[in-house]
Amino acid sequence: MTLPLAPGHIAPGLGAVLGPHLQQVLAACRPHTGRLTSVEECLGGNVAHVFRVRGEAGNVIVKIRGHRFARIRHIATDPALIAVEHRALTLHHGLLPDLFPQVLAFLPDAHAMVMTDVFPDGRTWREHLDQRAATAKECTRLATALTRVHDATAGLPPLRDGDGDGLFRAEHAYGYCLRSSGHPVLDEACRRLDALPGQQLILGDACPKNLSLAAGRTAFVDLDNVHTGAPLFDLGYLLAHLVLHHITRPSRLHPLAGAFLDAYTFPGPARPWRDDDLLAAVAAGVLLYRLEARTVPYPATSPPAAAGRLRHSLRRLLATGPFTVRDLLDAATGPVTS
């Protein structure tokens, strides 16, 4: 979501974030925008500050990393880590230029990047899902694109030096996400994910607020969570968000999830998804991570009572033993049972 400003004005936050680097960054935008007309702050990201810079010739996106998470101020971070996302974007755009933004300028002193704007309507898929249900066509297109990403990045070396990818996976993908609810079944899911063959670069944060399906194309953004892991994590992550955004549209969920999962092709041997207990556990863990929001906030996608019913159902599934994707979808669409 963007906050529009009057033409000719600079979003106050941009100057505050960039400080003495403001003019340097705006100068890097002008070859692609022409004369600047406005700057809008893009909302939704938790780690970096993101702005859409508009000009007479077009738009660009400016992303800046500070010393603290943009939306979680109590978490300190190293602004130089934007170089990791720069590396990830350069790699992914080079492999799949139709699916990822292009870095137009990287300004390490400002901890900033200027990128192409891959949101044709200026809106994330999350913003669309807040107003309507997904379509089967969108779900199929999204899964096909995710398959292409995983196929393209299979066999590539880790993004971070040394054991950096492993540490990132343990802290972020597992610590913030799957292990945040403190359930032993999810601890075991993390161990099983690490034991899967075919570990490779994965997106790590593929969710509706970080992608666009507008104008018949698919685009992924926000690659600062790219790391070496199991592709199944990305699939479960997206499945969880598909469930999350259809809590109040339960009749749509089974066909939409089916369209999404049927269109994804795992690298390696076939893995039928309907009875996959590991995929189900990953999706359940991600759902609890979003619903309980202990560390990382996620704006509500349903009334509190509906979200509470789903939390109860997920906790019951985790407590009663192994469950499949089919069980997870039934729990998300059916009444709460004790």
Side-chain angles (χ1 to χ4, degrees), residues 244 247-248 291 300-307:
L244 187 66
I247 297 174
T248 58
L291 288 167
T301 61
S302 62

Side-chain angles (χ1 to χ4, degrees), residues 48-71:
H49 304 268
V50 184
F51 299 85
R52 176 173 284 107
V53 179
R54 297 186 184 275
E56 293 177 341
N59 310 328
V60 296
I61 298 295
V62 174
K63 188 167 189 176
I64 310 115
R65 189 153 182 161
H67 290 277
R68 294 192 171 274
F69 279 15
R71 305 281 180 254

Side-chain angles (χ1 to χ4, degrees), residues 43-47 69-75 126 176-177 180 205 207 209-210 222 237 241 244-245 286-301:
L43 303 182
N46 290 312
V47 176
F69 279 15
R71 305 281 180 254
I72 319 174
R73 297 294 297 168
H74 67 276
I75 299 181
R126 153 97 209 213
Y176 283 165
C177 183
S180 65
D205 193 16
C207 64
K209 71 181 180 64
N210 292 334
D222 200 1
Y237 203 85
H241 287 85
L244 187 66
H245 285 273
V286 174
L287 277 164
L288 285 176
Y289 159 66
R290 290 308 198 193
L291 288 167
E292 297 178 348
R294 287 190 170 93
T295 303
V296 180
Y298 196 79
T301 61

Side-chain angles (χ1 to χ4, degrees), residues 95 147-157 198-202 231 267:
L95 293 168
T147 299
R148 289 181 60 204
V149 173
H150 288 161
D151 284 344
T153 56
L156 295 180
Q199 301 283 313
Q200 63 167 87
L201 290 184
I202 61 173

Side-chain angles (χ1 to χ4, degrees), residues 16-287:
V17 172
L18 285 172
H21 301 287
L22 174 63
Q23 294 307 319
Q24 177 192 14
V25 171
L26 293 179
C29 296
R30 288 190 183 95
H32 312 283
T33 62
R35 190 179 72 86
L36 302 182
T37 56
S38 66
V39 178
E40 306 161 357
E41 184 176 6
C42 302
L43 303 182
N46 290 312
V47 176
H49 304 268
V50 184
F51 299 85
R52 176 173 284 107
V53 179
R54 297 186 184 275
E56 293 177 341
N59 310 328
V60 296
I61 298 295
V62 174
K63 188 167 189 176
I64 310 115
R65 189 153 182 161
H67 290 277
R68 294 192 171 274
F69 279 15
R71 305 281 180 254
I72 319 174
R73 297 294 297 168
H74 67 276
I75 299 181
T77 185
D78 180 359
L81 287 174
I82 197 168
V84 177
E85 185 173 11
H86 173 237
R87 195 177 310 148
L89 279 167
T90 301
L91 172 67
H92 284 75
H93 177 80
L95 293 168
L96 299 166
D98 60 316
L99 296 183
F100 296 94
Q102 179 183 6
V103 178
L104 302 171
F106 177 47
L107 302 99
D109 291 343
H111 306 120
M113 291 187 293
V114 179
M115 302 173 288
T116 51
D117 187 352
V118 293
F119 289 82
D121 60 352
R123 304 172 72 200
T124 67
W125 195 39
R126 153 97 209 213
E127 291 175 82
H128 287 281
L129 294 182
D130 284 342
Q131 298 178 341
R132 60 164 176 83
T135 67
K137 185 176 181 180
E138 286 176 328
C139 292
T140 297
R141 183 150 47 91
L142 180 56
T144 302
L146 186 63
T147 299
R148 289 181 60 204
V149 173
H150 288 161
D151 284 344
T153 56
L156 295 180
L159 193 67
R160 296 164 183 81
D161 296 333
D163 60 353
D165 269 21
L167 293 172
F168 183 91
R169 181 177 65 252
E171 179 177 355
H172 291 260
Y174 296 168
Y176 283 165
C177 183
L178 294 185
R179 289 194 166 113
S180 65
S181 59
H183 201 287
V185 170
L186 299 176
D187 287 338
E188 177 61 20
C190 294
R191 289 189 286 271
R192 291 177 63 190
L193 284 171
D194 282 344
L196 287 176
Q199 301 283 313
Q200 63 167 87
L201 290 184
I202 61 173
L203 295 174
D205 193 16
C207 64
K209 71 181 180 64
N210 292 334
L211 62 92
S212 170
L213 293 173
R217 65 168 295 182
T218 305
F220 297 95
V221 300
D222 200 1
L223 300 194
D224 58 357
N225 281 343
V226 168
H227 65 277
T228 300
L232 185 142
F233 179 86
D234 277 348
L235 189 68
Y237 203 85
L238 267 169
L239 173 62
H241 287 85
L242 191 62
V243 173
L244 187 66
H245 285 273
H246 291 83
I247 297 174
T248 58
R249 306 174 180 111
S251 65
R252 307 286 186 93
L253 188 52
H254 271 282
L256 291 174
F260 172 66
L261 294 169
D262 284 340
Y264 178 82
T265 305
F266 272 107
R271 189 183 179 108
W273 62 262
R274 285 175 177 81
D275 298 318
D276 193 325
D277 65 313
L278 180 54
L279 178 60
V282 170
V286 174
L287 277 164

